[in-house]
Amino acid sequence: MAAAATAVLMAACGGQTPAPAPGVAWHRYPVGVASRVEPAIAVIYSSDNIGPTASLARLGYPDRNLFRLHRDHPQLKVVLTSCPANRYSGGRVLSDSPEATATWKTLALDPNFDWIDLAGLGYNHAPPGDSNLNHHEFSVTQSGCNIDHKTLGEATYCSRQMTLARDAYRTAGIPDDRVVMMRFPGMERSTQALAAAAAAGFIAVLDTPAGGEPRGEPGREWWTPLPGGGEILEIPNTNVLKLFAIAKELEDGLIAGRILPAQVTASPEFAAALKRGLARLREVEAGGGLVNLMDQWSDTFREVGGARPRYLLIDAALRDIESRYGPRAWYPTSRELTLWLDLLRNGRLTRQDEGGGTLVKVEPPAGWARLGLGGLDNASIRVSLAGAGASRAVDLKDVLIKEGERDWRSLEPERWWRQADDAVVLFALRGPVQLRLKLS
């Protein structure tokens, strides 16, 4: 598994991944404390944006829409794209809506909503001065969109929008490390757009437009160099649900009365849609192991004829993932996933073998300190014991940890174990760490 993960990472970074220290490497995803297994696939649900009209009631609280999705699949994390300057309200900003401000802060900080994560939305369909817009479909020609999307990738516009997004979260009292991912729906992909997002403290972009450069197979992650140095993580939208497009035919059948609500899951159309979607899941797993079930959340829970066909498809796909992968599936928030992949790409490991053990120094990416990010509660590394001259007869006796200037202390035994000739160590990472592996 570790060798496969390294191969995937090399491909994802275009072969530019720095060589790890001999005999020590990051796991692709965090190893489970209970299962002691590295997940094979990561699954997130990235739904549509919410803006100044956001409220817990609109999101379905307490038992509809997203709340029902969480009830039925409590492990799934929902990434809501929060829109500081709402494209549907003529440029109205977050600070104009106390209710939306309170809702966003609740979703970002309340432990009861740790299954909902906020990502930024990096554009506004209504540039200042456009008086002919309350909705982007109503243009001066009454056809199509009212602006050229290429202008959305220009440096000045991007810088303004990224700064507006970050300032809106800060005004709402949301720390920078709670919103680290930006989404660019409808925005022309450009180096200016990516650089502006990074400058505003976002370390990843989600769902970049199809018009951008090809980024390889589904599920692969890509780090894009930025002008003047640095890089930003691009996570393409695998959009598994687009392969469930036949759900629209089911909706039409329900409306026309050709299909009864009870017949949806038994219909050939439903089976065919589900088969196509699950084939895509397997393709994504083989190509890198990251599934983003992107969809319009309001459409997901649209009720037609007493049934919600698209929700039924999502539910069936998630139940299949849960049954096939079990503990080998990871359901991270966008923050967890982004930080982990940034760590995997840019974190540094050094190793020094010494009498009776090994010393490993762990350094998170430099950008974490600059952006004030909080770190990870479950970082994991693999250390070769064979490199220290240890045989199978020599056991791992103890693991000591030193965080920053703190004294050495023992790491709990359930946080480390021997696996063949390797040691697996799990720890919280919020800054530089030293690990001392002692052999018996």
Side-chain angles (χ1 to χ4, degrees):
M1 183 70 183
T6 301
V8 168
L9 178 62
M10 289 292 288
C13 300
Q16 301 302 310
T17 306
V24 57
W26 299 107
H27 287 272
R28 174 172 172 77
Y29 297 138
V31 174
V33 176
S35 65
R36 298 190 174 185
V37 171
E38 180 181 357
I41 192 168
V43 184
I44 61 174
Y45 176 80
S46 174
S47 52
D48 198 17
N49 57 285
I50 57 172
T53 58
S55 68
L56 294 180
R58 185 167 178 261
L59 295 173
Y61 185 80
D63 200 34
R64 295 180 297 107
N65 299 341
L66 294 178
F67 291 85
R68 178 187 171 185
L69 181 64
H70 174 58
R71 182 196 67 189
D72 293 347
H73 303 279
Q75 294 185 93
L76 182 68
K77 301 301 193 299
V78 173
V79 184
L80 277 173
T81 305
S82 44
C83 189
N86 197 344
R87 55 179 167 163
Y88 297 132
S89 59
R92 184 182 178 196
V93 298
L94 171 65
S95 57
D96 293 336
S97 174
E99 183 182 18
T101 300
T103 298
W104 285 14
K105 190 170 183 178
T106 297
L107 297 178
L109 302 178
D110 190 328
N112 292 318
F113 300 108
D114 63 358
W115 56 277
I116 290 182
D117 195 37
L118 292 184
L121 186 70
Y123 80 112
N124 181 352
H125 257 100
D130 188 338
S131 60
N132 187 48
L133 181 70
N134 282 318
H135 188 288
H136 75 280
E137 297 295 340
F138 305 146
S139 67
V140 291
T141 61
Q142 296 300 313
S143 62
C145 191
N146 68 312
I147 59 174
D148 181 355
H149 279 224
K150 291 182 179 179
T151 64
L152 303 181
E154 294 176 354
T156 301
Y157 182 88
C158 290
S159 179
R160 173 186 174 275
Q161 290 302 111
M162 298 304 117
T163 301
L164 174 64
R166 180 56 76 192
D167 287 348
Y169 298 125
R170 290 171 178 163
T171 299
I174 300 174
D176 288 5
D177 69 338
R178 304 310 303 179
V179 188
V180 299
M181 183 180 286
M182 174 59 69
R183 181 178 163 211
F184 285 165
M187 179 179 281
E188 183 75 10
R189 179 185 181 275
S190 69
T191 55
Q192 289 88 349
L194 298 177
F202 300 97
I203 63 176
V205 291
L206 174 70
D207 185 28
T208 47
E213 300 174 7
R215 291 182 293 281
E217 299 174 18
R220 295 268 171 90
E221 301 83 41
W222 295 88
W223 283 261
T224 301
L226 298 174
E231 59 190 354
I232 194 165
L233 173 65
E234 291 192 72
I235 301 180
N237 172 21
T238 52
N239 218 336
V240 173
L241 295 182
K242 283 213 168 173
L243 293 174
F244 296 151
I246 202 164
K248 177 60 177 171
E249 297 179 28
L250 294 175
E251 290 178 357
D252 292 341
L254 285 167
I255 293 171
R258 296 190 304 271
I259 303 174
L260 298 176
Q263 295 175 316
V264 171
T265 55
S267 70
E269 292 88 351
F270 185 93
L274 187 59
K275 183 177 179 180
R276 293 172 64 207
L278 298 181
R280 178 68 161 186
L281 292 178
R282 288 189 286 273
E283 179 186 0
V284 171
E285 178 195 5
L290 172 59
V291 176
N292 173 21
L293 295 171
M294 172 67 195
D295 199 14
Q296 303 279 341
W297 73 267
S298 54
D299 291 345
T300 300
F301 302 98
R302 180 186 177 207
E303 188 167 303
V304 182
R308 292 169 174 173
R310 193 168 304 181
Y311 179 82
L312 294 174
L313 286 165
I314 294 175
D315 180 70
L318 287 170
R319 291 191 187 281
D320 180 83
I321 291 171
E322 291 160 2
S323 65
R324 283 193 298 120
Y325 292 101
R328 299 182 67 227
W330 183 34
Y331 301 89
T333 62
S334 69
R335 174 181 177 273
E336 291 170 337
L337 178 65
T338 303
L339 291 178
W340 187 263
L341 293 173
D342 186 45
L343 172 68
L344 192 69
R345 176 66 172 91
N346 297 310
R348 292 198 303 169
L349 299 172
T350 57
R351 171 182 179 156
Q352 178 181 336
D353 290 331
E354 38 185 48
T358 295
L359 176 66
V360 177
K361 293 184 179 180
V362 181
E363 293 184 54
W368 286 24
R370 178 176 63 85
L371 299 174
L373 301 177
L376 293 166
D377 292 330
N378 191 23
S380 52
I381 61 172
R382 176 176 49 82
V383 182
S384 172
L385 297 178
S391 67
R392 288 183 181 272
V394 178
D395 203 0
L396 181 61
K397 180 181 180 182
D398 194 12
V399 176
L400 301 177
I401 183 171
K402 183 177 182 180
E403 301 169 281
E405 300 301 318
R406 294 183 60 178
D407 295 334
W408 290 95
R409 59 185 177 86
S410 291
L411 203 60
E412 294 84 351
E414 63 267 19
R415 309 288 302 187
W416 53 265
W417 61 90
R418 182 163 183 163
Q419 187 172 324
D421 285 334
D422 294 337
V424 177
V425 182
L426 295 91
F427 54 95
L429 181 62
R430 293 174 176 81
V433 166
Q434 294 186 64
L435 298 167
R436 192 179 298 274
L437 284 62
K438 298 177 68 175
L439 305 177
S440 61

